[in-house]
Amino acid sequence: MMKFKPNQTRTYDGEGFKRRAACLCFKNEKEDEVLLVSSSRHPDQWIVPGGGMEPEEEPCGAAVREVFEEAGVKGKLGRLLGIFEHNQDRKHRTYVYILIVTETLDDWEDSVNIGRKRKWFKVDEAIKVLQSHKPVHAEYLRRLTNTCNPTCGPVCNPTNGNSPSSQVTDNNAPHYVVCSTQGSDLVNR
């Protein structure tokens, strides 16, 4: 299913969830400093960069595209942290990946068009900042400690967003972990 907006097409999965992708962008493999961007709706609040997937777009490609548009960074795409479902006001299903930043642009699409800002935060500080405005984004960072080590890698080439496989392999965990923001139960798929 698709819904059209003036500047984007919203895509939904078979269960009616809006298909989204995001990245936790880290300065290095230590994963101790994360990049947040200012919200387009509330410029004084911080969020994790991410957004809706386009039709036929793989989750890993959408995540890389959204980070480039919203945060003006490129990097090495790492493991899939999880698939987070948000059910309260809007049904969203967000694929959240780890990205190690290797390139930072001075000017990028959202900085030029809407004045979006970005800022590095220590993980604990980022959780506190996100908790009041976007608690589901804070949950992404809380899940960080419960996933595999940073050396896990993807089976995905997000260069064009249409790669044949978006599964991230990890010998110690299921391929997909659905994380509900309504509780802490995990469902293996």
Side-chain angles (χ1 to χ4, degrees), residues 17-31:
F17 283 86
K18 181 179 179 190
R19 299 176 68 230
R20 300 185 75 254
C23 284
L24 292 177
C25 301
F26 291 101
K27 248 185 192 177
N28 55 47
E29 283 82 7
K30 292 181 194 174
E31 298 181 1

Side-chain angles (χ1 to χ4, degrees), residues 6 23 28 33 36 44 49 70 87 93 98 101 106 114 121 124-125 130 133 145 151 155 160 162-163 168:
C23 284
N28 55 47
E33 286 186 77
L36 300 180
D44 58 330
E70 292 189 1
N87 300 316
R93 186 169 280 151
I98 302 298
V101 174
D106 291 333
I114 62 173
F121 290 86
D124 289 345
E125 182 186 0
L130 292 167
H133 178 65
T145 58
T151 60
V155 179
N160 66 3
N162 291 314
S163 63
V168 175

Side-chain angles (χ1 to χ4, degrees), residues 127-140:
I127 290 171
K128 289 176 190 169
V129 166
L130 292 167
Q131 188 58 50
S132 61
H133 178 65
K134 285 283 190 185
V136 68
H137 291 193
E139 189 61 29
Y140 303 163

Side-chain angles (χ1 to χ4, degrees), residues 5 8-13 15-20 51-53 84 90-94:
K5 281 177 66 174
Q8 77 179 58
T9 301
R10 295 181 181 174
T11 60
Y12 293 82
D13 65 18
E15 297 175 68
F17 283 86
K18 181 179 179 190
R19 299 176 68 230
R20 300 185 75 254
M53 292 199 283
F84 293 77
R90 292 174 265 178
K91 288 174 65 171
H92 290 169
R93 186 169 280 151
T94 306

Side-chain angles (χ1 to χ4, degrees), residues 34-38 46 117-121 125:
V34 65
L35 187 68
L36 300 180
V37 296
S38 58
W46 298 98
K117 309 248 183 286
R118 64 180 173 219
K119 181 178 175 183
W120 292 102
F121 290 86
E125 182 186 0

